[in-house]
Coordinates of all heavy atoms in Angstrom, one line a residue:
Chain A
E310 N 7.3 12.0 6.9 CA 7.0 13.2 7.7 C 5.6 13.7 7.5 O 5.4 14.4 6.5 CB 8.0 14.3 7.4 CG 9.5 13.9 7.6 CD 10.4 14.8 6.8 OE1 10.6 14.6 5.6 OE2 10.8 15.9 7.4
P311 N 4.6 13.3 8.3 CA 3.3 13.9 8.2 C 3.4 15.4 8.4 O 4.3 15.9 9.2 CB 2.5 13.3 9.3 CG 3.2 12.0 9.6 CD 4.7 12.3 9.3
L312 N 2.6 16.2 7.7 CA 2.7 17.7 7.7 C 2.9 18.3 9.1 O 3.9 19.0 9.3 CB 1.5 18.3 7.0 CG 1.6 19.8 6.7 CD1 2.7 20.1 5.8 CD2 0.3 20.2 6.1
L313 N 2.1 17.9 10.1 CA 2.2 18.5 11.4 C 3.5 18.1 12.0 O 4.2 19.0 12.7 CB 1.1 17.9 12.3 CG -0.2 18.8 12.3 CD1 -1.2 18.1 13.3 CD2 0.1 20.2 12.7
L314 N 3.9 16.9 11.9 CA 5.2 16.4 12.5 C 6.3 17.1 11.8 O 7.3 17.5 12.5 CB 5.3 14.9 12.2 CG 6.1 14.1 13.2 CD1 5.6 14.3 14.6 CD2 6.0 12.6 12.9
R315 N 6.2 17.3 10.5 CA 7.3 18.0 9.8 C 7.4 19.4 10.3 O 8.5 20.0 10.4 CB 6.9 18.0 8.3 CG 7.9 18.7 7.4 CD 8.0 18.1 6.0 NE 6.8 18.0 5.3 CZ 6.4 18.8 4.3 NH1 7.2 19.7 3.9 NH2 5.2 18.6 3.7
A316 N 6.3 20.1 10.6 CA 6.3 21.5 11.0 C 7.1 21.6 12.3 O 7.7 22.6 12.6 CB 4.9 22.0 11.2
V317 N 7.1 20.5 13.2 CA 7.9 20.6 14.4 C 9.2 19.8 14.3 O 9.8 19.5 15.3 CB 7.1 20.1 15.6 CG1 5.9 21.1 15.9 CG2 6.5 18.7 15.4
G318 N 9.6 19.5 13.1 CA 10.9 18.9 12.9 C 11.0 17.5 13.2 O 12.1 16.9 13.6
G319 N 9.9 16.8 13.1 CA 9.9 15.3 13.5 C 9.8 14.5 12.2 O 9.4 14.9 11.2
G320 N 10.0 13.2 12.4 CA 9.9 12.2 11.3 C 9.8 10.8 11.9 O 10.2 10.6 13.0
R321 N 9.3 9.9 11.1 CA 9.3 8.5 11.5 C 10.2 7.7 10.5 O 10.4 8.2 9.4 CB 7.9 7.9 11.4 CG 6.8 8.7 12.1 CD 5.5 8.1 11.8 NE 5.1 8.3 10.4 CZ 3.9 8.0 9.9 NH1 3.0 7.5 10.7 NH2 3.6 8.2 8.7
L322 N 10.6 6.5 10.9 CA 11.4 5.7 10.0 C 10.6 4.4 9.9 O 10.2 3.8 10.8 CB 12.7 5.4 10.6 CG 13.7 4.7 9.7 CD1 14.1 5.6 8.5 CD2 15.0 4.4 10.4
I323 N 10.4 4.0 8.6 CA 9.6 2.8 8.3 C 10.5 1.8 7.5 O 11.2 2.3 6.6 CB 8.4 3.2 7.6 CG1 7.5 4.0 8.4 CG2 7.6 1.9 7.1 CD1 6.3 4.7 7.7
A324 N 10.4 0.6 7.8 CA 11.2 -0.4 7.0 C 10.5 -0.7 5.7 O 9.3 -0.8 5.6 CB 11.4 -1.7 7.8
V325 N 11.3 -0.8 4.7 CA 10.8 -1.3 3.4 C 11.3 -2.7 3.3 O 12.5 -2.9 3.0 CB 11.3 -0.4 2.2 CG1 10.8 -1.0 0.9 CG2 10.8 1.0 2.4
A326 N 10.5 -3.7 3.6 CA 10.9 -5.1 3.6 C 9.9 -6.0 2.9 O 8.7 -5.7 2.9 CB 11.1 -5.6 5.0
T327 N 10.4 -7.0 2.2 CA 9.4 -8.0 1.6 C 8.7 -8.7 2.8 O 9.3 -9.1 3.8 CB 10.1 -9.0 0.7 OG1 11.1 -9.6 1.5 CG2 10.7 -8.4 -0.5
G328 N 7.4 -8.9 2.6 CA 6.6 -9.6 3.6 C 6.1 -8.6 4.7 O 5.4 -9.1 5.5
L329 N 6.5 -7.4 4.6 CA 5.9 -6.4 5.5 C 5.1 -5.4 4.7 O 5.7 -4.6 3.9 CB 7.0 -5.6 6.3 CG 7.5 -6.3 7.5 CD1 8.6 -5.3 8.1 CD2 6.4 -6.5 8.5
R330 N 3.8 -5.4 4.9 CA 3.0 -4.5 4.1 C 3.0 -3.1 4.7 O 2.9 -3.0 5.9 CB 1.6 -5.0 4.1 CG 1.0 -4.9 2.7 CD -0.3 -5.7 2.6 NE 0.0 -7.2 2.8 CZ -0.7 -8.0 3.6 NH1 -1.7 -7.5 4.3 NH2 -0.4 -9.2 3.7
V331 N 3.2 -2.1 3.9 CA 3.2 -0.8 4.4 C 1.8 -0.2 4.0 O 1.2 -0.6 3.1 CB 4.3 0.1 3.8 CG1 4.2 1.5 4.3 CG2 5.6 -0.5 4.0
G332 N 1.3 0.8 4.8 CA 0.1 1.4 4.5 C -0.8 1.3 5.7 O -0.5 0.7 6.7
Q333 N -2.0 1.9 5.6 CA -3.0 2.0 6.7 C -2.3 1.9 8.1 O -2.6 1.0 8.9 CB -4.0 0.9 6.5 CG -3.5 -0.5 6.9 CD -3.9 -1.6 5.9 OE1 -5.0 -1.8 5.5 NE2 -2.9 -2.2 5.3
G334 N -1.5 2.9 8.4 CA -0.9 3.0 9.7 C 0.3 2.1 9.8 O 0.1 0.9 10.0
A335 N 1.4 2.6 9.6 CA 2.6 1.8 9.5 C 2.8 1.0 10.8 O 3.4 -0.1 10.7 CB 3.8 2.7 9.3
Q336 N 2.3 1.5 11.9 CA 2.6 0.7 13.1 C 1.8 -0.6 13.2 O 2.2 -1.5 13.8 CB 2.3 1.6 14.4 CG 0.9 2.1 14.5 CD 0.9 3.4 15.2 OE1 1.7 4.3 14.9 NE2 0.1 3.6 16.2
R337 N 0.7 -0.6 12.4 CA -0.1 -1.8 12.4 C 0.6 -2.8 11.5 O 0.5 -4.0 11.7 CB -1.5 -1.5 11.9 CG -2.5 -1.1 13.0 CD -3.8 -0.8 12.4 NE -4.4 -2.0 11.8 CZ -5.3 -1.9 10.8 NH1 -5.6 -0.7 10.3 NH2 -5.8 -3.0 10.3
G338 N 1.3 -2.3 10.5 CA 2.0 -3.3 9.6 C 3.2 -3.8 10.2 O 3.9 -4.7 9.7
G339 N 3.6 -3.3 11.4 CA 4.8 -3.8 12.1 C 6.1 -3.4 11.5 O 7.1 -3.9 11.8
S340 N 6.1 -2.4 10.6 CA 7.3 -2.1 9.9 C 7.9 -0.8 10.4 O 8.9 -0.3 9.9 CB 7.0 -1.9 8.4 OG 5.9 -1.0 8.2
M341 N 7.4 -0.3 11.5 CA 8.0 0.9 12.1 C 9.3 0.7 12.7 O 9.5 -0.2 13.5 CB 7.0 1.4 13.3 CG 7.4 2.6 14.0 SD 7.1 4.1 13.1 CE 5.3 4.3 13.4
L342 N 10.3 1.4 12.3 CA 11.7 1.3 12.8 C 12.0 2.3 13.8 O 12.9 2.2 14.6 CB 12.7 1.3 11.7 CG 12.8 0.1 10.8 CD1 13.9 0.3 9.7 CD2 13.1 -1.1 11.5
L343 N 11.3 3.5 13.7 CA 11.5 4.5 14.7 C 10.2 5.3 14.8 O 9.6 5.7 13.8 CB 12.6 5.5 14.3 CG 13.1 6.4 15.4 CD1 13.9 5.6 16.5 CD2 13.9 7.5 14.9
P344 N 9.6 5.5 16.1 CA 8.4 6.2 16.2 C 8.7 7.7 15.9 O 9.9 8.1 15.8 CB 8.0 6.0 17.7 CG 9.3 5.7 18.3 CD 10.1 4.9 17.3
P345 N 7.7 8.6 15.9 CA 7.9 10.0 15.6 C 9.0 10.5 16.6 O 8.9 10.3 17.8 CB 6.6 10.6 15.9 CG 5.6 9.6 15.5 CD 6.3 8.3 15.9
A346 N 10.1 11.1 16.0 CA 11.2 11.5 16.8 C 11.9 12.6 16.0 O 11.4 12.9 14.8 CB 12.2 10.3 16.9
P347 N 12.9 13.3 16.5 CA 13.5 14.3 15.7 C 14.0 13.7 14.4 O 14.5 12.6 14.3 CB 14.7 14.8 16.6 CG 14.3 14.4 17.9 CD 13.4 13.2 17.8
R348 N 13.9 14.5 13.3 CA 14.2 14.0 12.0 C 15.7 13.5 11.9 O 16.0 12.5 11.3 CB 13.9 15.0 10.9 CG 13.6 14.3 9.6 CD 13.4 15.3 8.5 NE 14.6 15.8 8.0 CZ 14.7 16.7 7.1 NH1 13.6 17.2 6.6 NH2 15.9 17.2 6.7
A349 N 16.6 14.3 12.5 CA 18.0 13.9 12.5 C 18.2 12.5 13.1 O 19.0 11.8 12.6 CB 18.8 15.0 13.2
E350 N 17.4 12.3 14.1 CA 17.5 11.0 14.8 C 17.0 9.9 13.8 O 17.7 8.8 13.7 CB 16.6 11.0 16.0 CG 16.7 9.7 16.9 CD 18.0 9.6 17.5 OE1 18.7 10.6 17.8 OE2 18.4 8.4 17.8
A351 N 15.9 10.1 13.1 CA 15.4 9.2 12.1 C 16.5 8.9 11.0 O 16.7 7.8 10.6 CB 14.1 9.7 11.5
E352 N 17.1 10.0 10.6 CA 18.2 9.8 9.6 C 19.3 9.0 10.1 O 19.9 8.2 9.4 CB 18.6 11.2 9.1 CG 17.6 11.8 8.2 CD 17.8 13.3 7.9 OE1 18.7 13.9 8.6 OE2 17.0 13.9 7.2
S353 N 19.8 9.3 11.3 CA 20.9 8.6 11.8 C 20.6 7.1 12.1 O 21.4 6.2 11.9 CB 21.6 9.3 13.0 OG 20.7 9.1 14.1
V354 N 19.4 6.8 12.5 CA 19.0 5.4 12.7 C 19.0 4.7 11.3 O 19.4 3.6 11.2 CB 17.6 5.3 13.4 CG1 17.1 3.9 13.4 CG2 17.7 5.8 14.8
A355 N 18.5 5.5 10.3 CA 18.4 4.9 9.0 C 19.8 4.5 8.5 O 20.1 3.4 8.0 CB 17.8 5.9 8.0
V356 N 20.8 5.4 8.8 CA 22.2 5.1 8.4 C 22.7 3.8 9.2 O 23.3 2.9 8.6 CB 23.1 6.3 8.7 CG1 24.6 5.9 8.6 CG2 22.8 7.4 7.8
R357 N 22.3 3.7 10.5 CA 22.7 2.6 11.2 C 22.1 1.3 10.7 O 22.7 0.2 10.7 CB 22.4 2.8 12.7 CG 23.6 3.4 13.5 CD 23.2 3.8 14.9 NE 22.7 5.2 14.9 CZ 22.0 5.7 15.9 NH1 21.6 4.9 16.9 NH2 21.6 6.9 15.9
V358 N 20.8 1.4 10.3 CA 20.1 0.2 9.8 C 20.6 -0.2 8.5 O 20.9 -1.4 8.3 CB 18.6 0.5 9.7 CG1 17.9 -0.6 8.9 CG2 17.9 0.6 11.1
L359 N 20.8 0.7 7.6 CA 21.3 0.4 6.3 C 22.8 0.1 6.3 O 23.3 -0.6 5.4 CB 21.0 1.5 5.3 CG 19.6 1.9 5.1 CD1 19.4 3.0 4.1 CD2 18.8 0.7 4.5
G360 N 23.5 0.6 7.3 CA 24.9 0.2 7.5 C 25.8 0.8 6.4 O 26.6 0.1 5.9

Side-chain angles (χ1 to χ4, degrees):
Chain A
E310 301 162 272
L312 190 61
L313 269 182
L314 207 55
R315 178 148 56 106
V317 293
R321 306 174 295 187
L322 189 67
I323 296 168
V325 175
T327 53
L329 274 183
R330 222 166 296 134
V331 183
Q333 75 227 302
Q336 58 211 51
R337 274 179 61 210
S340 51
M341 180 77 81
L342 287 180
L343 193 74
R348 208 184 75 183
E350 186 67 30
E352 283 165 358
S353 69
V354 171
V356 171
R357 268 171 268 162
V358 166
L359 298 177

